[in-house]
Amino acid sequence: PREQRHHPTTSVRLGYRPSPTWSFGVSASSGVYLREMAGGSLPLGISRGDYQQRVLAADLAYAWRHWQLWSEVYFSRFEIPLVGDADTTSYYIEGKYKFTPRLSAAVRWNQQLFSTLPDPVGPTRWGQNVWQVEAAPMFRFTAHTQVKLQYTLKHGDSRSRSTTRALAAQFTFRF
């Protein structure tokens, strides 16, 4: 609460739905990303409020009969003390098909790309580019309960093992 009061984040989103099948949106946000404990490491006369994270985003959704498609893209810039600007771009594209009113499946592609930062030996990437693909069948038992299985394949987030896999099961109860 105190953090939000002294360093609020400002966000805005504009959306447009030209038809029942399509919707579009754009959004922007700006705010301090450094935590209070970082204050002691900043140069004299500089506060955490001098370093912002800015995000621009766009979203798109389409639904027709048994198909649902949606996507978002985010452009984010971090102002880093004594370094400069660090940029990252993230996006996902997801599609879902409803085989029956109770059975559906979805596939999702995610990717995050990192910019380079100045370094005495040459530009250095400040994060590892990552991609991820997910596949998930879902069965709805009732209007309030469903089960979902999800398989995830992720590449690029670990130096020791560049590709990871995960299998998850989820039971959802809505009330």
Side-chain angles (χ1 to χ4, degrees), residues 63-92:
W64 182 69
R65 298 189 183 206
H66 299 284
W67 288 99
Q68 290 179 303
L69 302 168
W70 51 97
S71 180
E72 293 183 82
V73 61
Y74 301 88
F75 305 97
S76 185
R77 170 166 286 169
F78 295 86
E79 297 172 340
I80 300 177
L82 307 173
V83 174
D85 294 336
D87 298 330
T88 183
T89 301
S90 302
Y91 70 92
Y92 74 86

Side-chain angles (χ1 to χ4, degrees), residues 11-17 23-29 57-60:
S11 301
V12 64
R13 181 181 187 281
L14 299 171
Y16 177 61
R17 183 179 289 270
S23 69
F24 307 92
V26 293
S27 56
S29 185
D59 60 86
L60 168 72

Side-chain angles (χ1 to χ4, degrees), residues 31-77:
V32 174
Y33 71 94
L34 292 173
R35 309 295 285 180
E36 282 187 56
M37 65 181 129
S41 65
L42 298 175
L44 284 169
I46 302 294
S47 77
R48 291 180 306 116
D50 294 326
Y51 298 100
Q52 300 282 310
Q53 176 188 7
R54 292 183 174 84
V55 178
L56 295 174
D59 60 86
L60 168 72
Y62 175 77
W64 182 69
R65 298 189 183 206
H66 299 284
W67 288 99
Q68 290 179 303
L69 302 168
W70 51 97
S71 180
E72 293 183 82
V73 61
Y74 301 88
F75 305 97
S76 185
R77 170 166 286 169

Side-chain angles (χ1 to χ4, degrees), residues 7-160:
H7 296 286
T9 296
T10 304
S11 301
V12 64
R13 181 181 187 281
L14 299 171
Y16 177 61
R17 183 179 289 270
S19 71
T21 57
W22 287 97
S23 69
F24 307 92
V26 293
S27 56
S29 185
S30 182
V32 174
Y33 71 94
L34 292 173
R35 309 295 285 180
E36 282 187 56
M37 65 181 129
S41 65
L42 298 175
L44 284 169
I46 302 294
S47 77
R48 291 180 306 116
D50 294 326
Y51 298 100
Q52 300 282 310
Q53 176 188 7
R54 292 183 174 84
V55 178
L56 295 174
D59 60 86
L60 168 72
Y62 175 77
W64 182 69
R65 298 189 183 206
H66 299 284
W67 288 99
Q68 290 179 303
L69 302 168
W70 51 97
S71 180
E72 293 183 82
V73 61
Y74 301 88
F75 305 97
S76 185
R77 170 166 286 169
F78 295 86
E79 297 172 340
I80 300 177
L82 307 173
V83 174
D85 294 336
D87 298 330
T88 183
T89 301
S90 302
Y91 70 92
Y92 74 86
I93 300 167
E94 183 169 347
K96 178 178 174 183
Y97 185 80
K98 293 182 182 180
F99 298 101
T100 71
R102 296 170 63 181
L103 179 65
S104 64
V107 175
R108 180 180 177 120
W109 171 266
N110 303 285
Q111 193 164 10
Q112 184 169 12
L113 308 167
F114 292 87
S115 68
T116 57
L117 298 174
D119 188 281
V121 295
T124 302
R125 193 168 304 281
W126 67 280
Q128 288 188 290
N129 292 343
V130 177
W131 63 257
Q132 177 174 307
V133 64
E134 302 169 358
M138 190 270 301
F139 185 79
R140 183 176 301 278
F141 295 105
T142 69
H144 299 283
T145 58
Q146 68 183 24
V147 66
K148 178 174 85 170
L149 298 175
Q150 181 174 319
Y151 175 76
T152 303
L153 178 67
K154 190 173 189 177
H155 178 77
D157 64 339
S158 170
R159 292 194 190 278
S160 64

